[in-house]
Amino acid sequence: MSEKKRALKTGIGYEVEKKMEDNYDREEAAGTPTHVVNWVNAVTEGEHDKCAECDWKSICTHLRDGVVLCKLVNKLLKADGKSPITFQKKVMSPFVAMTNIENFNKGAMTYGLAEEFTFQSGDLWEVRKGPFLNVINGLHSLGFVANQKGCKPTYTGELKKGE
């Protein structure tokens, strides 16, 4: 059976997707995805397999089921004296993965992440470069919240304005 392909975007949909991909490329050039991966790997060390690569598809695939995200936020919540979120460790369907991602977002907001820095489950689940920028930006912002709370290991991403 062949892999399902999405129809190519045209018109304004194409322009928006292209702009999001360009924005991701700028973040990648600034090293943001690498900082995010290093931080997530450090916080979840011993709890989950590490993400070995820092290209967007590898990161997206590693995070896609939401399990590592839930483990990450649970470590942060525990260090902050808050109750952990529930999640499914064995993901057998897209519905379960998307529920895990939504639970991560709820846990991140409980931890202190502003709602505007959360992302939609489809941004991660659909494995598309443009929307994946929202995931990277959310984790980047969560890293700064963790730094403000004195969480170790420290997130080393930089706060930069685009050129």
Side-chain angles (χ1 to χ4, degrees):
M1 190 169 11
S2 65
E3 183 180 326
K4 291 182 182 178
K5 298 280 183 182
R6 293 180 70 106
L8 296 177
K9 295 196 181 254
T10 58
I12 191 130
Y14 172 80
E15 296 298 326
V16 168
E17 186 89 9
K18 179 74 173 119
K19 187 170 185 173
M20 288 176 72
E21 288 178 4
D22 291 345
N23 288 341
Y24 184 89
D25 291 340
R26 272 193 295 283
E27 288 298 324
E28 189 171 50
T32 303
T34 300
H35 290 297
V36 166
V37 167
N38 291 340
W39 180 64
V40 170
N41 283 344
V43 173
T44 61
E45 188 170 3
E47 301 261 330
H48 200 80
D49 295 337
K50 290 186 176 195
C51 181
E53 303 293 326
C54 291
D55 63 283
W56 76 270
K57 273 194 176 175
S58 296
I59 302 167
C60 193
T61 302
H62 184 72
L63 301 176
R64 191 171 186 227
D65 64 6
V67 173
V68 71
L69 293 174
C70 290
K71 289 179 178 181
L72 169 70
V73 81
N74 276 346
K75 292 270 288 229
L76 297 175
L77 289 167
K78 181 179 178 185
D80 204 34
K82 296 180 178 164
S83 298
I85 60 166
T86 58
F87 67 99
Q88 296 286 326
K89 292 180 183 176
K90 292 191 177 191
V91 178
M92 304 300 275
S93 74
F95 177 78
V96 172
M98 288 190 223
T99 300
N100 279 350
I101 295 165
E102 288 305 314
N103 288 343
F104 162 78
N105 278 323
K106 289 174 188 169
M109 286 189 298
T110 299
Y111 185 67
L113 185 68
E115 186 174 3
E116 60 265 20
F117 295 117
T118 61
F119 53 90
Q120 296 178 2
S121 56
D123 293 341
L124 180 54
W125 181 254
E126 292 178 2
V127 190
R128 291 175 28 230
K129 185 178 183 182
F132 186 61
L133 174 64
N134 297 327
V135 178
I136 291 297
N137 285 340
L139 291 170
H140 181 67
S141 298
L142 183 62
F144 286 117
V145 172
N147 286 353
Q148 289 173 348
K149 293 179 178 247
C151 180
K152 300 292 181 197
T154 303
Y155 176 65
T156 59
E158 298 177 27
L159 188 58
K160 290 184 178 180
K161 292 285 184 193
E163 276 93 294

